[in-house]
Amino acid sequence: LFNRWPVYTFADLAAIQDSVDGWAFQQIADRMRGSHTGRQLLQERPQITVASVEALQHLPEGTLGHSFWHHMASNNILEMPDLGEPVLRWDDETEYARDRYRQTHDVRHILLGVGIEGYEEVVLQTFQFAQQPQVLSAGIVLLGGLKHAIIDRKWRQLLRMVPQAWRAGKSAANLCNVRFESFWHMPLAEARRALSITPIEDAGAAHARRSVA
């Protein structure tokens, strides 16, 4: 994993996650069953699709929905990756909890305020682990963090951002029970406040701002 990172395909990562994190998705499904909104999600099973994301471009700029669309379009990740057949199968509610978790992955990028560079994925996985411990997230944080800190020399950013992400994950609303579709129209800052999410400040970006000033 360390030597190949981050060359894995989405299908590779999904297969690893299916193999090691089924228990985590079962816990997410249990948490959803304990929440009114979570139970609604399990019953209605809304999906985030290419068409539904593209429709968000018509929302006003600065809203969560438009920001999500712009993130997906500008990074050329609108097309949903083909994850292949699941390695393992569970009950229907656990499988929906897993699929919903994956479909909303990039919504968390927007809410946390991090991009898609490798070290930023480490930061996001820290947030996710703080909300729901997972083996894959732990591996990405530990091994990916070492790789990006040493080889890519992102240690300053990681030292600053990873603790922020941990605190943000612990203090935020549990996102597995959030119907993001009800938040698309909200200004991004308002959605963050509603979900008690403090966005991350990139150490490199902060340094660049100070240099310009």
Side-chain angles (χ1 to χ4, degrees):
L1 179 63
F2 180 80
N3 290 331
R4 290 182 57 193
W5 180 267
V7 180
Y8 282 104
T9 66
F10 285 113
D12 290 333
L13 291 173
I16 294 170
Q17 192 171 44
D18 283 348
S19 300
V20 300
D21 279 329
W23 60 273
F25 293 124
Q26 289 173 331
Q27 288 183 354
I28 291 174
D30 286 342
R31 194 171 294 119
M32 293 173 75
R33 284 188 284 266
S35 158
H36 175 69
T37 302
R39 288 192 296 273
Q40 286 184 325
L41 290 170
L42 289 172
Q43 181 178 4
E44 300 170 16
R45 303 194 180 183
Q47 304 288 328
I48 294 180
T49 63
V50 174
S52 69
V53 175
E54 287 182 331
L56 299 176
Q57 66 184 293
H58 303 296
L59 290 173
E61 290 188 21
T63 58
L64 173 61
H66 188 275
S67 299
F68 179 45
W69 166 79
H70 183 267
H71 166 87
M72 300 291 281
S74 63
N75 288 301
N76 197 30
I77 51 176
L78 265 174
E79 292 296 325
M80 302 297 175
D82 180 10
L83 301 182
E85 286 297 313
V87 175
L88 298 172
R89 291 192 177 276
W90 302 280
D91 63 275
D92 288 347
E93 289 187 342
T94 298
E95 295 217 342
Y96 176 74
R98 177 201 62 197
D99 293 345
R100 176 76 175 179
Y101 187 83
R102 290 173 176 170
Q103 290 173 11
T104 57
H105 175 86
D106 281 280
V107 182
R108 294 190 283 280
H109 273 277
I110 298 302
L111 289 168
L112 201 59
V114 295
I116 63 170
E117 288 192 45
Y119 78 96
E120 293 172 303
E121 188 63 38
V122 170
V123 173
L124 181 70
Q125 293 293 337
T126 302
F127 174 88
Q128 294 187 161
F129 189 89
Q131 291 234 311
Q132 171 61 57
Q134 298 172 64
V135 174
L136 181 61
S137 288
I140 291 173
V141 171
L142 294 174
L143 300 180
L146 283 173
K147 186 266 184 187
H148 292 295
I150 297 171
I151 298 176
D152 298 335
R153 304 182 71 178
K154 296 290 187 180
W155 60 271
R156 288 186 180 87
Q157 289 91 329
L158 289 168
L159 282 176
R160 180 184 181 114
M161 297 168 71
V162 165
Q164 289 184 63
W166 178 262
R167 292 192 296 269
K170 286 298 185 182
S171 62
N174 197 292
L175 300 188
C176 70
N177 286 324
V178 173
R179 185 188 287 269
F180 291 111
E181 293 84 349
S182 299
F183 287 77
W184 292 148
H185 68 285
M186 285 188 184
L188 179 55
E190 183 180 335
R192 285 169 170 160
R193 284 195 298 271
L195 298 171
S196 301
I197 293 176
T198 302
I200 302 301
E201 182 176 5
D202 187 325
H207 176 74
R209 286 196 296 273
R210 287 194 295 271
S211 298
V212 170

